[in-house]
Amino acid sequence: PIREANVMSLVCPIGPERNLLDPQPESCHRVFLDTPVLCPRRFNALLELEGKGMPHVIIDMTYTLTEGCSARRLADRAISKKSLLRERLDQICKEAEAAILGDSVAFIVLTHRRAGEDRVPICSLLAAGALHQHLINAKLRARVALVVEAADAHEVHHFCCLLGFGVDAIFPYLCYLSLLRVRNCTLSMQTRVENFRHASEFSILKVMSKMGISCLQSYKGAQLFQAVGLGKEVLTKCFTGCKSVLNGVGFDAFAQDALEFHKIAYPPRGPLPPLVDEEVEELQDIGEYHFRSIHESEIHMNTPDVLYKLQEAARTNSAEGYKLFAHWQNKITEQTEIRGQLEFCLDECDPVPLEEVEPAAEIVKRFCTGAASLGSISNEAHQAMAIAMNRVGGRSNTGEGGEDPDRFSPMKEGQMKMGAAEWEIFEGDTSRSRIKQVASGRFGVTAEYLANADEIQIKLAQGAKPGEGGELPGYKVIGKIAETRKATPGVGLISPPPHHDMYSIEDVAQLIRDLKNANPAARISVKLVARVGIGVIASGVTKGKADHLTISGMSGGTGAAKWTSIKHCGLPWEIGVAETHQTLVLNGLRDRVTVQTDGQVRTGRDVVMAALLGAEEIAMTTAPLIALGCIMMRKCHLNTCPVGVATQDPELRKKFTGQPEHLINYLFMVAEDVREIMASLGCRRFTELIGRTDLLRPSAHLKEHWKTADLDFTDLLRPAWTLQSMAAETEGSMFCCVPQDHELAHVLDRQLVLRAAPALEDKSQVMVKDLAIKNIDRSVGGILSFEVTRRFGAQGLPDDTVHVKFKGPSGQSFGNFLAPGLTFELEGDANDYIGKGLSGGCLVVYKPGQAPFKGHEAILAGNAALYGATAGKSFMAGIAAERFAVRNSGATAVVEGVGDHGCEYMTRGLVVILGSTGANFAAGMSGGLAYLLDIDKTSLNMESILLEPVGAEDSKMLEDLVKDHARLTSSAKAQELLANWDKTAKRFTKVFPKEYKKALESMKSAPTEKKASDTQPIVQNGAKDLEDLRPNSVHEPQKKRGFHEYARKSMSYRPDKDRTMDWEEIYASQTKKSQQWHSWIQTQTARCMDCGTPTCHSPNQGGGGCPLGNRIPTWNQLVHEGDFKRALERLLDTNNFPEFTGTTCPAPCEEACVLGINESPVAIKSTELAIIEYGFSKGWIKPHPPQVRTRKRVCIIGSGPAGLAAAQQLNRAGHLVQVIERADRGGGLLMYGIPSMKLDKTGKVLRRLQLLKDEGIEFKYNCEVGKDVSMAELCTQNDAVILATGATQCRDMRSTEGRHLKNIVQAMDFLTATQKTNLDAESGQSHIRHSSSRKSPPYDLQGARVVVIGGGDTAVDCVATAVRLGARSVLQFSRRDEAPKQRPSHTPWPCWADTYRVDYAHSEVKALHGRDPREYLVATKGFKASAEDPSRVGAVIATQANADGAAVIEYPAELVVLAMGFTGPDKVVDPQGVLARDQNSNFKADYGEYVAENAPWKNLFACGDCRRGASLVVTAIAEGRDCAARIDSFLMGETSLPRAAPLAANPTFFQMPKKGDAQPGLVKRFQRKRRQNQDVSEAFERGLLVEPVLEEPEAESKASQAATSSMKIAVEERGAKVGMDEVAVSSGATTPKWLLAGFAGLAIANVALLGTVVALLR
């Protein structure tokens, strides 16, 4: 639609059609629409034709749930088995028929306008399709136009579906209404509507062009769609004749979906209260294009967990890591892919020993990487894949971007610097890609390129975007890429659609022959897209002599593809491979062609599935790129890949860390996985798997869900050998075993090679005269050019070394890829494709001497002459037909006239046309020059070109070319022009591409710019200093490259010494927001890249990522735009208390930030706190009580973060909530466990508690369950009770010698007493905030020495509290060693990094006392009494490991604080021990269900730290939110509260079953019948992993005791003698285990229908 808009149109007549065989004046009484997407003005104009003899009727596309509730109607419906939706469809058809026959209406308008709280909308495609088919059957369709006033049509695919199934025009009124809410838009409403329509129209044209259709009239009603998972009843009623696979859902499923959507729009209990206000409420982002882990989001193949686990396995060659990755990936496949709905028939197989199975080294040879071109990915990534695949014997693919000739030669042994990686190159290594792809773009396709191929792949179509060519943005077309592609640097490249040179199966067969001639030794492959009917196409291509077929699935493809390209295109490869295999066997062709598949193949299970369905080879691209470092940013098109994989930015390429070994490791682990499955299936050789669909069956779990219960895999799994072969009586082979006969033995080129032998041996001159040629002689010159290139490389032979003069009509592709030094002279005429891929040779064509016609008036060359030419010259003394010099990228041509579409997509070279030009000349021309004689401007496509007069230099060059033309062709036209050249020269016009001219001008200015840059100062300290030079705050920061342009700056602390003087928050005050503040926060959010797979917002198995699923990319974008209010709404939608997490959370989200891979992460925590505090300062955060109360009572025990989150969510749902707290103030841990300098009690905690009270939550303080009230009473008096008491049982050292001494206190007692004293002092005088105003603290530490035992956050808080209480010295003991400065291998990104850190308390102690307080490798052995007071502690006796073993050290201490973590909730709440507890003393309750086990009350739930163990505040909030949703569903039967746990989308929750355990099936999350319990085995110290602290000193290992030195070292004051710099997290390298849960496999049903969208809102 861009380059050939002149042959495309959306204009279409609608309305009653008359008899075509009897034309009358009334036949013209129709309405011509210029577009099928109507604006309000056009729609109203149609309705106003009522008075002009074109009446209309409006038919409602909704139904009410109360329709037909009489007993008779219900009985009729039960007998007919028709749902309300189906009944309404029948009514619509009857109403329309009556309107046509009775009222002679001209337009039928189907509308959603009546949709509302009491009326459910029907999918407009169902209604329109049913009516269209009904009117066709009634022979009434031609008498009426069908217009849809749709609320559910909002995407291009929706429009195309409606048009394709018979709709004449669409009025998407709800889309237009939604345009009112476009952010930061100052355009008028009319302009917005017109822009939307223009984009929609262009996209419809694009879809049509991909199908090869020019006019909307041909597309409308053509039903060019394929259905997947639709039932026969639906197809028959609504989409008669539509091709379908996998019989599936019927009308009942659509009715159920419609009701579910309707409930979302109109909750039965009314909407939840607004989070901020209705003005900024937004629809949920379900993650259709980017991964989102929250709520009911779209499931993606690439989740943060599988990404990092795949990379970890590949980098460390960990078989265990790969198995976990494969387990998670296969679970996701069960929910997303067709193969996931199938299972192996293991119970019907006889396993064989693993050692008898084909070795992995042979299996990996069947693997290849997909076609990722150099340009789409970096040189580093491209070469890494090539080297790895060549080492294992597999194949890498160049993609359609050519290949650097330097890579054709073997590499030298040694070290090679690539990006940030050092590669070890071995003797024999090569980075040559064995598969060379040839696409319609012909980028870099030269004779040398083809000669260096083992396999040549014709890209007939790409699975992820069929019908389109590749596209490379201009900023990626630089350096070697531009040179390799023969393009202009800086100018974007778009491949022509495939039909330019592969319009028919015959054209494909010709191209196969051309390429086989260009390299007789190479295997010729054709890449096809999976679709219904692909078997016939594959058979035709095989008969066309293809050696190899690649069946590409709809998944995968470039990350640079447009959204409209990658959605709703193609079918799963499982369908394509099965049909291809069956059809080839049926036609007796399977034995002569190898079948390969690609499309998100990741694990051994995927490979075996592909083989069983019929594939011999497997292509993988995404997974190998992930193994090399790709993180699925989905920003490939922006050239901003932060890991150097999909970018050409030299600075970003330096960040590439992949190694060929990483990919090799991965491939061998996949192969070993394949071997294990083969052994279990009883197959020893891989060939025994191919086509064995009898070893597959539908999974049992499909029957458990109403959407998958009717899926029918019969056709897919039909064994090919059961089909009766049409070609042979005997049973055919299931795999390729017979080579194709390409019939090259007797082609004309064999004579040419023999005659040119002297030239090939020693470059002697060879002249062949009057060689007869016929039009059956095709691809002449291909084999000779191959022999020249094979011997002499790209430079070939000297000009005119071999000169062959042919006489007669040549066949197709004359001069095919003609090499330098070869001159082909043709006296006659040439068929199509003459000079295809011309690579340096010379072509001369002229009419036969005896011909009576004039040469310049006759067509002497067929279509597509010089297609993809890269070098050489061509002189044609006649006219060339259509598509002359398309994609010319270097050849010089003189021709005496051309047909339509000349010089289309040309990027280099020179074309001189001495005659007329057809239409659409120079469409998409981006480089090279053309000179036209007597120009006709109407025939030019002016979009990309400029016209200039010919200058003196141009005139001289043109004269020389015309002289050569006259000399070589004896052209009368050339001689005539030369006779008066001065006059002739003025008749020429220079066609100059705009982009080419711009590039030339920039090249001229480049030296000046370089000279100016030389004066810049040289940075001496490398990349780190360069980073330091980047600004952290600028006015109006740019987001596209913000991550690279700006440095991180998080919210600053107050000076260390200053903040120890008070109990105020450590953060610098920001109550008044200046412009500087806004610039800073917008600059910091500009660093967020809005990742395609945002690892920050999804919790991963390694402790990184946000447990709440905060929409971090979304609110970063909104803050960057300055829209704080909407950012606040998005933040509060997932996080109830950002003011708590923004201050206390250790930010696991930042640990998982993509930027953290190679630089400082985004300041997420600072942004979160900035948003919430800005919201409070603006008064946006107000109490929002629920509008309706359910009268259900819920009691929550505990007012910590989990309890408060559950309370607010349940209160929002309308329940009566009471929170019981045993302390005198609410907040739990937030109030007394976290000191006020870390979390302001008055300004944050009490403020939030007051808001909750104002929303209707009741708080009851000083009430202890188990003492003041029993659990039984609460469960009886309330409809639900939640245990949210937290983990309050502290670890102790009760058996340690001296533990009885005074001043040895638990951390929580120490913190609680201090905080309570401070708060009591503030009561009634909150404006007084200085420590000097407070009463004496409970612990008098002035001048005292304090020892804190423990390494977590609580210990840090105790250190800071002791400092503020005046301690003389503070030491913190850690049993682990000092953590490394760099991220260690056992905690890879995006896990929580086990690295050296400095917390606020450590820097304070260092500022005051001159040293870091931490002592490492310390084990406490006992406590020594004070000499002054034997009842009090005086010292701590401990051992400290060092290089010589371990020494016993005595640490003086007047106060010892035990901060060693927690062992679960205390026993007060359950004194009789009724409730079940796990091994860590936590209450047992399944994750996601939260029902307390063994409880005599069915309404008792447990969540938060009391259930899972001590953890982060953010984790507690997430559990509270999720538990609230579960309880709301328990109380009301359904819930409108969001689940916080990303159950279905996150593989973290899929655990490997232990040996002997039955593997649970996938069950829908709300329909789980059986749940397997698995305890949380690792404790957390508020998020930082800690090692288990043993309560008894006797538990110390004997080895440690033996190593203890008997010498005791008395230390009076260690002070600054201990040299330690910064903080490290406590030990606990072990990854915590998560609870097992089985989650929903909502199966594939990729229905090509419009769902009734949530946009039908109140």
Side-chain angles (χ1 to χ4, degrees), residues 242-545:
C242 181
K243 296 178 181 179
S244 174
V245 289
L246 298 183
N247 179 58
V249 297
F251 285 110
D252 289 342
F254 285 99
Q256 182 68 27
D257 264 348
L259 288 177
E260 289 192 6
F261 278 121
H262 191 260
K263 285 180 181 179
I264 295 173
Y266 301 99
R269 288 148 50 194
L272 296 174
L275 296 164
V276 181
D277 58 39
E278 293 183 358
E279 176 193 342
V280 293
E281 279 190 343
E282 293 200 357
L283 297 176
Q284 299 295 342
D285 179 3
I286 63 171
E288 186 172 2
Y289 297 104
H290 289 159
F291 170 83
R292 295 291 182 263
S293 75
I294 53 174
H295 304 169
E296 296 285 341
S297 55
E298 185 80 8
I299 299 171
H300 286 247
M301 288 290 284
N302 298 294
T303 68
D305 281 292
V306 299
L307 287 178
Y308 99 80
K309 191 55 70 175
L310 168 54
Q311 290 182 352
E312 179 188 352
R315 290 171 181 173
T316 61
N317 200 20
S318 167
E320 182 181 349
Y322 169 80
K323 284 188 176 180
L324 195 54
F325 152 74
H327 179 68
W328 291 345
Q329 189 70 75
N330 290 337
K331 285 293 184 183
I332 293 175
T333 301
E334 286 182 19
Q335 302 177 79
T336 56
E337 303 290 340
I338 284 184
R339 60 186 177 277
Q341 315 317 306
L342 306 175
E343 63 184 16
F344 301 121
C345 302
L346 297 176
D347 54 341
E348 301 175 12
C349 300
D350 297 322
V352 298
L354 185 61
E355 55 271 16
E356 295 181 12
V357 177
E358 186 174 358
E362 292 300 314
I363 293 174
V364 293
K365 293 177 182 178
R366 295 180 178 271
F367 297 161
C368 75
T369 57
S373 66
L374 175 62
S376 68
I377 61 175
S378 65
N379 180 50
E380 291 79 6
H382 207 270
Q383 289 206 50
M385 287 201 294
I387 293 172
M389 297 311 294
N390 288 334
R391 283 184 187 173
V392 302
R395 299 177 180 225
S396 65
N397 194 318
T398 60
E400 60 172 303
E403 189 168 66
D404 184 356
D406 292 343
R407 290 171 56 178
F408 297 158
S409 305
M411 306 172 77
K412 295 181 180 179
E413 186 176 1
Q415 296 290 323
M416 185 176 181
K417 179 73 172 176
M418 296 296 279
E422 286 279 351
W423 292 357
E424 183 74 25
I425 302 299
F426 303 103
E427 190 66 35
D429 273 345
T430 173
S431 60
R432 177 181 69 93
S433 295
R434 295 175 65 190
I435 304 174
K436 302 288 192 291
Q437 191 177 72
V438 175
S440 58
R442 297 292 197 272
F443 298 119
V445 179
T446 64
E448 182 189 29
Y449 172 81
L450 298 175
N452 282 279
D454 295 350
E455 176 181 318
I456 302 173
Q457 183 182 79
I458 300 171
K459 181 181 175 181
L460 190 60
Q462 179 173 325
K465 46 176 185 177
E468 292 184 72
E471 183 173 350
L472 195 66
Y475 40 74
K476 283 192 170 186
V477 185
I478 58 174
K480 279 280 188 182
I481 294 162
E483 184 57 38
T484 301
R485 295 187 178 225
K486 312 296 183 186
T488 305
V491 178
L493 298 174
I494 300 177
S495 292
H499 67 257
H500 277 62
D501 67 330
M502 293 175 277
Y503 192 77
S504 64
I505 198 72
E506 290 80 9
D507 291 333
V508 177
Q510 179 59 43
L511 183 55
I512 291 171
R513 185 179 183 89
D514 295 339
L515 297 175
K516 191 66 178 178
N517 276 266
N519 186 342
R523 182 171 75 170
I524 308 300
S525 172
V526 178
K527 185 174 184 179
L528 304 172
V529 171
R531 52 159 293 168
V532 176
I534 190 176
V536 174
I537 300 171
S539 297
V541 171
T542 304
K543 291 177 181 178
K545 307 297 184 182

Side-chain angles (χ1 to χ4, degrees), residues 1263-1279:
C1263 179
E1264 188 159 13
V1265 178
K1267 292 183 179 179
D1268 303 316
V1269 63
S1270 69
M1271 185 74 70
E1273 291 176 301
L1274 293 176
C1275 291
T1276 303
Q1277 296 167 4
N1278 294 276
D1279 297 288

Side-chain angles (χ1 to χ4, degrees), residues 1034-1043 1045-1046 1086-1087 1120:
V1034 298
H1035 182 57
E1036 295 184 355
Q1038 299 301 307
K1039 192 169 175 64
K1040 180 180 175 181
R1041 289 176 54 84
F1043 72 97
E1045 302 291 340
Y1046 311 127
R1087 298 184 73 240
H1120 174 68

Side-chain angles (χ1 to χ4, degrees), residues 48-91:
E48 290 169 1
L49 294 175
E50 181 92 24
K52 298 183 179 180
M54 303 192 82
H56 69 269
V57 63
I58 297 177
I59 299 178
D60 183 24
M61 285 193 295
T62 69
Y63 62 94
T64 176
L65 297 176
T66 59
E67 276 181 8
C69 289
S70 65
R72 181 177 176 180
R73 289 293 301 277
L74 292 173
D76 291 344
R77 194 176 298 127
I79 294 171
S80 64
K81 295 182 180 180
K82 287 185 179 181
S83 62
L84 283 171
L85 181 145
R86 174 63 193 277
E87 278 193 357
R88 181 59 192 146
L89 287 177
D90 291 341
Q91 291 170 6

Side-chain angles (χ1 to χ4, degrees), residues 819-847:
L822 303 180
T823 300
F824 278 16
E825 183 178 340
L826 176 64
E827 182 181 346
D829 60 320
N831 219 309
D832 294 347
Y833 306 120
I834 176 176
K836 177 185 288 187
L838 185 66
S839 298
C842 181
L843 287 173
V844 179
V845 181
Y846 50 88
K847 72 180 182 69

